[in-house]
Amino acid sequence: MSSPANLNTGGEEKKLEIEKVVESQVEVADTESKRIQPWKEQITVRGLVVSTVLGIIYSIIAMKLNLSAGIVPNFNASAALLAFLFVRSWNKVLHKAGFISKPFTRQENTIIQTCVVSCYSIAVHGIYVNLQFAH
């Protein structure tokens, strides 16, 4: 029968081996996430769908605020957060359905945010220009 000291040493060695494997996997994941993809791979179908949906929602909100209060707040942060929420939910639904999807990247979130801000800016400034020429 082995002594308790030998059992503890074996367990510690296994823990160290597992920790090394986990650390190496984390390092690989970090280097893959830090690698910036070409712009053609950053524009995805899910990004365009989320951009369209959020762009429509924010355009309606911005037009309503512009026509009623005359001011429109900056929606950059909320657009980025909702884009993140939509795409993460999209990935979770696909994962539960058994599909493998590409991970969500910072660049994709930035593209979605840019499209959403462009949509509501065009809507607000289009109304503003039309109202000025109407008078």
Side-chain angles (χ1 to χ4, degrees), residues 26-108:
V26 168
E27 288 174 6
V28 168
D30 283 345
T31 56
E32 287 178 1
S33 67
K34 289 180 183 176
R35 217 177 303 150
I36 297 176
Q37 302 169 341
W39 69 271
K40 291 181 180 178
E41 293 180 19
Q42 293 176 17
I43 300 172
T44 60
V45 173
R46 70 179 172 193
L48 294 176
V49 170
V50 171
S51 298
T52 303
V53 170
L54 289 177
I56 291 169
I57 291 170
Y58 276 111
S59 293
I60 293 169
I61 293 170
M63 286 188 291
K64 172 68 174 154
L65 286 172
N66 193 22
L67 291 172
S68 61
I71 58 170
V72 179
N74 195 352
F75 293 127
N76 287 346
S78 63
L81 290 172
L82 279 178
F84 177 77
L85 176 72
F86 274 35
V87 176
R88 291 289 288 210
S89 300
W90 181 313
N91 283 346
K92 284 183 182 182
V93 168
L94 286 178
H95 182 68
K96 287 184 180 182
F99 295 103
I100 298 174
S101 62
K102 213 166 98 174
F104 186 52
T105 62
R106 295 177 193 154
Q107 290 81 17
E108 189 176 10

